[in-house]
Amino acid sequence: MPCSAVTLSISTISAIIAVALLAISFSTDNWLNYEVKRSNIQAYVAKHSDTQFLLENMNTKYYYFSRTRGLFRICYPKERPPASAVPIYLSPVETHCSNIDYFPNNNEEKTSPLSDDSIARLHLARSVIALFILSFIAIFCAFWTGLSGCWKRSSGAITATAILLLAACLLAAGAMGLWHTVEFFEKEKVVGEEFNQQWNQVLKDNTRITYDWSYIVAWAGVGACLLASILLSGSAVCLRNEREKEEQLNLQYLMPVYPQKQPPYYPGAYPQPQLYPQYYHGSQYGPYNY
């Protein structure tokens, strides 16, 4: 079996897996898991009489509840906060969720100006979404060039597909890097009361933050996209080599045959030159000249 067929098959499977993984991670809400031990906080409030504010926050602030967070939504798989704390609706997967606000300036209820760190975090979070969308656009373009390359067995189209998939991989990896930058701002900078830096110590001690499966799926999609790009580059090289071998093989059967202007030569068709005179009767050269 030609190497181009093998590498094209494997790269196609890798590209399909990459698209599926990136789409799943982009649309699901399990990037970060916040496990809040509310029972421990309630026990702390019961022991300390001067923590009335903490009890009020437990019932009015959404970040005192266990939740999962994605790129667009915050979902509450266990207890959910009251409707007065945050607008909640039922997601397509039957989970109570609230949307992440990427345009807080449009919210009339928030009148306090944002800090510089909050604005930087907001722009970085928007850039994450933009880079993921650009990576999907690059994958869409790669689909058509790859389809054309496989149909015509064109090494140039396959190479273009590999370049587009590499661009999609770099865009998705850049989005992941920016996502980690947003996470750093939320942990180390003062960007809002709902983020780690401004939590009270009791909430920090009783909250466990872990990466969830959508985050892992996103990195797996980036790796599968890179693998598909490398395999497509190899298949383009194989196609080019196979095309050159076919052309060389065809040249052997296309040797030119030029017509001969002189008549064909057959042995014995012409008299041989006489090196010595022949002797015959009456010849003046014979030994018996009469």
Side-chain angles (χ1 to χ4, degrees), residues 142-196:
F143 169 78
W144 294 107
T145 57
L147 186 64
S148 174
C150 292
W151 181 264
K152 299 179 180 179
R153 293 183 59 84
S154 171
S155 60
I158 298 298
T159 303
T161 306
I163 293 172
L164 287 171
L165 281 181
L166 180 60
C169 173
L170 294 177
L171 288 169
M176 296 298 294
L178 289 181
W179 185 86
H180 279 287
T181 307
V182 172
E183 183 188 19
F184 170 79
F185 268 74
E186 294 174 355
K187 289 182 178 179
E188 304 297 335
K189 304 291 183 179
V190 179
V191 293
E193 63 176 4
E194 66 268 28
F195 301 115
N196 311 47

Coordinates of all heavy atoms in Angstrom, one line a residue, residues 142-196:
A142 N -9.4 24.3 6.1 CA -8.6 23.1 5.9 C -9.5 21.9 5.4 O -9.0 21.1 4.7 CB -7.9 22.7 7.2
F143 N -10.7 21.9 5.8 CA -11.6 20.8 5.3 C -11.8 20.8 3.8 O -11.7 19.8 3.1 CB -13.0 20.9 6.0 CG -14.0 20.1 5.4 CD1 -14.1 18.7 5.7 CD2 -15.0 20.6 4.6 CE1 -15.0 17.9 5.2 CE2 -16.0 19.8 4.0 CZ -16.0 18.4 4.3
W144 N -12.0 22.0 3.3 CA -12.2 22.1 1.8 C -10.9 21.9 1.0 O -10.9 21.2 0.0 CB -12.8 23.5 1.5 CG -14.1 23.7 2.0 CD1 -14.5 24.4 3.1 CD2 -15.3 23.0 1.6 NE1 -15.9 24.3 3.3 CE2 -16.4 23.4 2.4 CE3 -15.6 22.1 0.6 CZ2 -17.7 23.0 2.2 CZ3 -16.9 21.6 0.4 CH2 -17.9 22.1 1.2
T145 N -9.8 22.4 1.5 CA -8.5 22.2 0.8 C -8.1 20.7 0.9 O -7.6 20.1 0.0 CB -7.4 23.0 1.4 OG1 -7.3 22.8 2.8 CG2 -7.7 24.5 1.1
G146 N -8.4 20.1 2.1 CA -8.1 18.7 2.2 C -9.0 17.8 1.3 O -8.5 16.8 0.7
L147 N -10.2 18.2 1.2 CA -11.1 17.4 0.3 C -10.7 17.5 -1.1 O -10.7 16.5 -1.9 CB -12.6 18.0 0.5 CG -13.7 17.2 -0.3 CD1 -13.8 15.8 0.3 CD2 -15.0 17.9 -0.1
S148 N -10.3 18.7 -1.5 CA -9.8 18.9 -2.9 C -8.5 18.1 -3.1 O -8.3 17.5 -4.2 CB -9.6 20.4 -3.2 OG -9.0 20.6 -4.4
G149 N -7.6 18.1 -2.1 CA -6.3 17.4 -2.3 C -6.5 15.9 -2.4 O -5.8 15.3 -3.1
C150 N -7.4 15.4 -1.6 CA -7.6 13.9 -1.6 C -8.3 13.5 -3.0 O -8.0 12.5 -3.5 CB -8.5 13.5 -0.4 SG -7.7 13.6 1.1
W151 N -9.2 14.4 -3.5 CA -9.9 14.1 -4.7 C -9.0 14.1 -5.9 O -9.0 13.2 -6.8 CB -11.1 15.0 -4.9 CG -11.9 14.8 -6.1 CD1 -11.7 15.4 -7.3 CD2 -12.9 13.8 -6.2 NE1 -12.6 14.9 -8.2 CE2 -13.4 13.9 -7.6 CE3 -13.5 12.9 -5.4 CZ2 -14.4 13.1 -8.0 CZ3 -14.5 12.1 -5.9 CH2 -15.0 12.2 -7.2
K152 N -8.1 15.1 -5.9 CA -7.2 15.3 -7.1 C -5.8 14.7 -6.8 O -5.0 14.7 -7.7 CB -7.0 16.8 -7.4 CG -8.3 17.5 -7.8 CD -8.0 19.0 -8.0 CE -9.3 19.7 -8.4 NZ -9.1 21.1 -8.6
R153 N -5.6 14.2 -5.6 CA -4.3 13.7 -5.2 C -3.2 14.7 -5.5 O -2.2 14.5 -6.1 CB -3.9 12.4 -6.0 CG -4.8 11.2 -5.5 CD -4.4 9.9 -6.2 NE -3.0 9.5 -5.9 CZ -2.6 8.9 -4.8 NH1 -3.5 8.5 -3.9 NH2 -1.4 8.6 -4.7
S154 N -3.5 15.9 -5.0 CA -2.6 17.1 -5.2 C -1.8 17.3 -3.9 O -2.3 17.5 -2.8 CB -3.4 18.3 -5.5 OG -2.6 19.5 -5.5
S155 N -0.5 17.2 -4.1 CA 0.4 17.4 -2.9 C 0.4 18.9 -2.5 O 0.5 19.2 -1.3 CB 1.9 17.0 -3.3 OG 2.3 17.8 -4.4
G156 N 0.2 19.8 -3.4 CA 0.1 21.2 -3.0 C -1.1 21.5 -2.2 O -1.0 22.2 -1.2
A157 N -2.3 20.9 -2.5 CA -3.5 21.1 -1.7 C -3.3 20.4 -0.3 O -3.8 21.0 0.7 CB -4.7 20.5 -2.4
I158 N -2.7 19.3 -0.3 CA -2.5 18.6 1.0 C -1.5 19.4 1.9 O -1.7 19.6 3.1 CB -1.9 17.2 0.8 CG1 -2.9 16.3 0.0 CG2 -1.6 16.5 2.1 CD1 -4.2 16.1 0.7
T159 N -0.5 20.0 1.3 CA 0.4 20.9 2.0 C -0.3 22.1 2.6 O -0.1 22.5 3.7 CB 1.6 21.4 1.1 OG1 2.3 20.2 0.6 CG2 2.5 22.2 1.9
A160 N -1.2 22.7 1.8 CA -2.0 23.8 2.3 C -2.9 23.4 3.4 O -3.1 24.2 4.4 CB -2.8 24.4 1.1
T161 N -3.4 22.2 3.4 CA -4.3 21.7 4.5 C -3.4 21.5 5.7 O -3.9 21.9 6.8 CB -4.9 20.4 4.1 OG1 -5.6 20.5 2.8 CG2 -5.8 19.9 5.1
A162 N -2.2 21.0 5.6 CA -1.3 20.9 6.7 C -1.0 22.2 7.4 O -1.0 22.4 8.6 CB 0.0 20.1 6.3
I163 N -0.8 23.2 6.5 CA -0.5 24.6 7.1 C -1.7 25.1 7.8 O -1.5 25.8 8.9 CB 0.0 25.5 5.9 CG1 1.3 25.0 5.3 CG2 0.1 26.9 6.4 CD1 1.8 25.7 4.1
L164 N -2.9 25.0 7.2 CA -4.1 25.5 7.9 C -4.3 24.8 9.2 O -4.7 25.4 10.2 CB -5.3 25.3 7.0 CG -5.3 26.3 5.8 CD1 -6.5 25.8 4.8 CD2 -5.6 27.7 6.3
L165 N -4.1 23.5 9.3 CA -4.3 22.7 10.5 C -3.2 23.2 11.6 O -3.5 23.2 12.8 CB -4.2 21.2 10.3 CG -5.5 20.6 9.7 CD1 -5.3 19.1 9.6 CD2 -6.7 20.9 10.6
L166 N -2.0 23.4 11.1 CA -1.0 23.9 12.0 C -1.4 25.3 12.6 O -1.2 25.6 13.7 CB 0.4 24.0 11.3 CG 1.6 24.5 12.1 CD1 1.8 23.6 13.3 CD2 2.8 24.6 11.3
A167 N -1.9 26.2 11.7 CA -2.4 27.5 12.2 C -3.5 27.3 13.2 O -3.6 28.0 14.2 CB -2.9 28.3 11.0
A168 N -4.4 26.4 12.9 CA -5.5 26.1 13.9 C -5.0 25.6 15.2 O -5.5 26.0 16.3 CB -6.5 25.1 13.3
C169 N -4.0 24.8 15.1 CA -3.3 24.2 16.4 C -2.7 25.4 17.1 O -2.8 25.5 18.4 CB -2.3 23.2 16.0 SG -1.3 22.6 17.4
L170 N -2.0 26.3 16.5 CA -1.3 27.4 17.2 C -2.3 28.3 17.7 O -2.1 28.9 18.9 CB -0.4 28.1 16.2 CG 0.8 27.3 15.7 CD1 1.6 28.1 14.7 CD2 1.7 26.9 16.8
L171 N -3.4 28.6 17.0 CA -4.5 29.5 17.6 C -5.1 28.9 18.8 O -5.4 29.6 19.8 CB -5.5 29.7 16.5 CG -5.1 30.6 15.3 CD1 -6.1 30.6 14.2 CD2 -4.9 32.1 15.8
A172 N -5.4 27.6 18.7 CA -6.0 26.9 19.9 C -5.1 26.9 21.1 O -5.5 27.1 22.2 CB -6.5 25.5 19.5
A173 N -3.8 26.6 20.8 CA -2.8 26.6 21.9 C -2.6 28.0 22.5 O -2.5 28.2 23.7 CB -1.4 26.1 21.3
G174 N -2.7 29.1 21.6 CA -2.7 30.4 22.1 C -3.9 30.7 23.0 O -3.7 31.4 24.0
A175 N -5.0 30.2 22.6 CA -6.2 30.4 23.4 C -6.1 29.8 24.8 O -6.4 30.3 25.8 CB -7.4 29.9 22.7
M176 N -5.5 28.6 24.8 CA -5.2 27.9 26.1 C -4.2 28.7 26.9 O -4.4 28.8 28.2 CB -4.7 26.5 25.8 CG -5.7 25.6 25.1 SD -7.2 25.3 26.1 CE -6.5 24.4 27.5
G177 N -3.2 29.2 26.3 CA -2.3 30.1 27.1 C -2.9 31.3 27.6 O -2.7 31.7 28.8
L178 N -3.8 32.0 26.9 CA -4.5 33.1 27.4 C -5.4 32.7 28.5 O -5.6 33.5 29.5 CB -5.2 33.8 26.3 CG -4.4 34.6 25.2 CD1 -5.3 35.2 24.2 CD2 -3.5 35.6 25.9
W179 N -6.0 31.6 28.4 CA -6.9 31.1 29.5 C -6.2 30.9 30.8 O -6.7 31.3 31.8 CB -7.6 29.8 29.0 CG -8.6 29.3 30.0 CD1 -9.9 29.6 30.1 CD2 -8.4 28.3 31.1 NE1 -10.5 28.9 31.1 CE2 -9.6 28.1 31.7 CE3 -7.3 27.6 31.5 CZ2 -9.7 27.3 32.8 CZ3 -7.4 26.8 32.6 CH2 -8.6 26.6 33.3
H180 N -5.0 30.4 30.7 CA -4.2 30.3 31.9 C -3.8 31.7 32.4 O -3.6 31.8 33.7 CB -2.9 29.5 31.6 CG -3.2 28.0 31.6 ND1 -3.4 27.3 32.8 CD2 -3.2 27.1 30.6 CE1 -3.6 26.0 32.5 NE2 -3.5 25.8 31.2
T181 N -3.6 32.6 31.5 CA -3.3 34.0 32.0 C -4.5 34.6 32.7 O -4.3 35.3 33.8 CB -2.9 34.9 30.8 OG1 -1.9 34.2 30.1 CG2 -2.4 36.2 31.3
V182 N -5.7 34.3 32.2 CA -6.9 34.8 32.9 C -7.0 34.1 34.3 O -7.3 34.8 35.3 CB -8.1 34.4 32.1 CG1 -9.4 34.7 32.9 CG2 -8.1 35.2 30.8
E183 N -6.6 32.8 34.4 CA -6.7 32.1 35.7 C -5.6 32.8 36.6 O -5.9 32.9 37.8 CB -6.3 30.7 35.4 CG -6.4 29.8 36.7 CD -5.9 28.4 36.4 OE1 -5.2 28.2 35.4 OE2 -6.2 27.5 37.2
F184 N -4.5 33.2 36.1 CA -3.5 33.8 37.0 C -4.0 35.1 37.5 O -3.8 35.5 38.7 CB -2.2 34.0 36.2 CG -1.2 34.9 36.8 CD1 -0.4 34.4 37.8 CD2 -1.1 36.2 36.5 CE1 0.5 35.2 38.5 CE2 -0.1 37.0 37.1 CZ 0.7 36.5 38.1
F185 N -4.7 35.9 36.6 CA -5.2 37.2 37.1 C -6.3 37.0 38.2 O -6.3 37.7 39.1 CB -5.8 37.9 35.9 CG -4.9 38.9 35.2 CD1 -3.9 38.4 34.4 CD2 -5.0 40.3 35.4 CE1 -3.0 39.3 33.8 CE2 -4.1 41.1 34.8 CZ -3.1 40.6 34.0
E186 N -7.1 36.0 38.0 CA -8.1 35.7 39.0 C -7.6 35.3 40.4 O -8.2 35.5 41.4 CB -9.1 34.7 38.5 CG -9.9 35.1 37.3 CD -10.7 34.0 36.7 OE1 -10.6 32.9 37.1 OE2 -11.5 34.3 35.7
K187 N -6.4 34.6 40.3 CA -5.8 34.1 41.6 C -4.9 35.1 42.2 O -4.8 35.1 43.5 CB -5.1 32.8 41.3 CG -5.9 31.6 41.0 CD -5.1 30.4 40.8 CE -6.0 29.1 40.5 NZ -5.1 27.9 40.3
E188 N -4.2 35.9 41.5 CA -3.2 36.8 42.0 C -3.5 38.3 41.9 O -2.8 39.1 42.6 CB -1.9 36.5 41.2 CG -1.4 35.1 41.2 CD -1.1 34.6 42.6 OE1 -0.8 35.4 43.5 OE2 -1.2 33.3 42.9
K189 N -4.5 38.7 41.2 CA -4.8 40.1 41.0 C -6.2 40.4 41.6 O -7.0 39.5 41.8 CB -4.8 40.5 39.6 CG -3.5 40.2 38.8 CD -2.4 41.1 39.3 CE -1.1 40.8 38.5 NZ 0.0 41.7 38.9
V190 N -6.4 41.7 41.9 CA -7.7 42.1 42.5 C -8.6 42.5 41.3 O -8.5 43.5 40.7 CB -7.5 43.3 43.4 CG1 -8.9 43.8 43.9 CG2 -6.6 43.0 44.5
V191 N -9.4 41.5 40.9 CA -10.3 41.7 39.7 C -11.7 41.5 40.0 O -12.5 41.4 39.1 CB -9.8 40.7 38.6 CG1 -8.4 41.0 38.1 CG2 -9.8 39.2 39.1
G192 N -12.1 41.3 41.2 CA -13.5 41.2 41.6 C -13.7 40.3 42.8 O -12.9 39.4 43.1
E193 N -14.8 40.6 43.5 CA -15.0 39.8 44.8 C -15.4 38.4 44.5 O -15.2 37.6 45.5 CB -16.2 40.5 45.5 CG -17.5 40.5 44.8 CD -18.7 41.0 45.6 OE1 -18.4 41.5 46.7 OE2 -19.8 41.0 45.1
E194 N -15.8 38.0 43.3 CA -16.1 36.6 43.1 C -14.9 35.8 42.8 O -15.0 34.5 42.5 CB -17.1 36.5 41.9 CG -16.6 37.0 40.6 CD -16.9 38.4 40.3 OE1 -17.0 39.2 41.3 OE2 -17.0 38.8 39.1
F195 N -13.7 36.3 42.7 CA -12.5 35.6 42.4 C -11.6 35.4 43.6 O -11.8 36.2 44.6 CB -11.7 36.3 41.3 CG -12.6 36.4 40.0 CD1 -12.9 37.7 39.5 CD2 -13.0 35.3 39.3 CE1 -13.7 37.8 38.4 CE2 -13.8 35.4 38.2 CZ -14.1 36.7 37.7
N196 N -10.6 34.5 43.5 CA -9.9 34.0 44.7 C -9.3 35.1 45.5 O -9.3 35.0 46.8 CB -8.8 33.1 44.2 CG -9.3 32.0 43.2 OD1 -10.0 32.3 42.3 ND2 -9.0 30.8 43.5

